[in-house]
């Protein structure tokens, strides 16, 4: 299946953007890096890094990934970029002049228990902080339950967990899926989602990459909220 390309609509996009402020939001896997069998080897090319660096010089640029934020930064290695890991549940941004607006999002998305720190000219926002101890326990259980399934890999993404099965034999997939389901069957505070050759466990909160995008736009200020 051929995926649509923004480049084919570039002229139209530029016409629509005339007189407006532009913000660039990017995913990591499959966007800035290729999809690979081993997620630890999803390296970004030097050419792609240079391209993102140049874009960030002209437009506010954010990378929103399902990966652990620290892992994404390790791959990207650019400081002048906003980062949101764990499907937007772990956000770090430079301090902006509109920090007071964040309470509006707390009311809208019921994230009043979110941890928001302001330190050393950055803001750290983590709406799933209270789930962290339980997530770490689930990681341990999953690693034990899946260690005998060849090719399975449990990735701790801090506020969510990814179970990769790209290298799992087809006949072993159902067994792997059952093991993952068994870990959270009595934990309504967590939910299972699926991606490209990956099963994920996430906190059952009303927060995702789209909400992270809106949070970042609020952080940038009102001028970026009128599309």
């Amino acid at each position: 299946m051929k995926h649509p390309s923004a480049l084919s609509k570039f002229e139209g996009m530029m016409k629509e953007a005339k007189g407006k402020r532009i913000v660039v939001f990017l995913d990591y896997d499959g966007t800035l890096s290729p999809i690979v069998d081993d997620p630890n080897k999803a390296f970004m090319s030097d050419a792609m890094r240079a391209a993102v660096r140049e874009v960030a010089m002209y437009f506010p640029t954010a990378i929103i990934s399902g990966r652990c934020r620290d892992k994404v930064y390790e791959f990207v290695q650019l400081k002048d970029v906003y980062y949101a890991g764990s499907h937007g549940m772990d956000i770090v941004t430079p301090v902006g002049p509109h920090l007071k607006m964040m309470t509006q999002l707390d009311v809208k998305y019921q994230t009043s228990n979110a941890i928001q720190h302001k330190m050393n000219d950055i803001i750290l926002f983590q709406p799933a902080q209270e789930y962290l101890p339980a997530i770490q326990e689930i990681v341990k259980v999953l690693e034990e339950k899946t260690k005998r399934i060849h090719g399975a890999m449990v990735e701790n993404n801090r506020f969510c967990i990814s179970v990769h099965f790209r290298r799992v034999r087809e006949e072993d997939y159902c067994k792997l899926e059952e093991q993952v389901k068994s870990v959270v069957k009595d934990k309504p505070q967590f939910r299972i989602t699926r991606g490209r050759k990956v099963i994920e466990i996430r906190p059952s909160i009303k927060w995702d990459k789209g909400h992270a995008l809106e949070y970042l736009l609020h952080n940038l200020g009102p001028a970026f909220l009128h599309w």
Side-chain angles (χ1 to χ4, degrees):
M1 177 180 176
K2 186 177 181 180
H3 297 287
S5 172
L7 294 178
S8 65
K9 306 288 185 180
F10 189 76
E11 290 186 8
M13 290 168 57
M14 290 300 97
K15 287 180 181 179
E16 291 293 327
K18 189 174 181 179
K20 300 178 182 178
R21 293 175 181 262
I22 296 175
V23 186
V24 178
F25 292 97
L26 301 165
D27 199 350
Y28 183 75
D29 292 280
T31 301
L32 300 180
S33 75
I35 298 293
V36 294
D37 287 346
D38 185 348
N40 290 322
K41 295 181 179 179
F43 300 117
M44 185 181 190
S45 69
D46 291 339
M48 181 64 78
R49 183 175 294 104
V52 175
R53 181 186 292 112
E54 186 171 2
V55 168
M57 290 173 60
Y58 297 97
F59 310 108
T61 301
I63 299 172
I64 306 178
S65 172
R67 298 270 202 145
C68 172
R69 174 173 54 82
D70 290 341
K71 186 67 175 180
V72 176
Y73 181 80
E74 181 182 323
F75 280 137
V76 178
Q77 300 176 26
L78 294 176
K79 292 184 178 180
D80 296 327
V81 171
Y82 296 75
Y83 292 91
S86 302
H87 292 283
M89 290 180 282
D90 189 9
I91 304 173
V92 63
T93 72
V95 172
H98 305 283
L99 181 60
K100 62 183 180 181
M101 298 179 66
M102 302 309 171
T103 55
Q104 298 174 9
L105 290 184
D106 287 343
V107 173
K108 184 175 181 179
Y109 297 120
Q110 299 176 349
T111 57
S112 57
N113 291 327
I115 302 299
Q116 179 170 274
H117 294 299
K118 179 181 177 183
M119 53 185 180
N120 299 328
D121 297 324
I122 66 167
I123 299 168
L124 180 64
F125 183 71
Q126 298 174 333
Q129 178 72 28
E130 64 182 293
Y131 296 89
L132 195 55
I135 290 171
Q136 300 313 308
E137 285 301 315
I138 291 174
V139 169
K140 293 178 183 177
V141 174
L142 269 176
E143 288 177 339
E144 181 64 28
K145 282 180 171 286
T146 62
K147 67 181 182 181
R148 292 182 178 84
I149 301 177
H150 182 72
M153 176 182 173
V154 177
E155 184 178 16
N156 183 351
N157 288 316
R158 189 166 172 76
F159 293 103
C160 59
I161 305 163
S162 298
V163 182
H164 299 274
F165 59 88
R166 188 172 295 275
R167 294 189 289 184
V168 172
R169 293 177 301 184
E170 187 174 348
E171 58 266 30
D172 290 335
Y173 171 75
C174 289
K175 180 181 179 181
L176 176 64
E177 185 180 40
E178 286 304 313
Q179 294 287 16
V180 175
K181 287 180 178 179
S182 71
V183 173
V184 296
K185 67 177 181 179
D186 297 321
K187 295 180 174 61
Q189 69 271 37
F190 291 96
R191 61 191 175 98
I192 290 177
T193 63
R194 290 169 173 79
R196 296 175 65 179
K197 299 291 184 178
V198 63
I199 305 171
E200 295 186 312
I201 296 175
R202 308 186 200 178
S204 298
I205 64 172
K206 189 178 179 181
W207 195 267
D208 55 26
K209 290 180 179 179
H211 298 134
L213 186 152
E214 186 173 0
Y215 178 95
L216 289 166
L217 286 174
H218 273 80
N219 181 264
L220 288 167
F224 291 91
L225 293 174
H226 302 291
W227 301 356

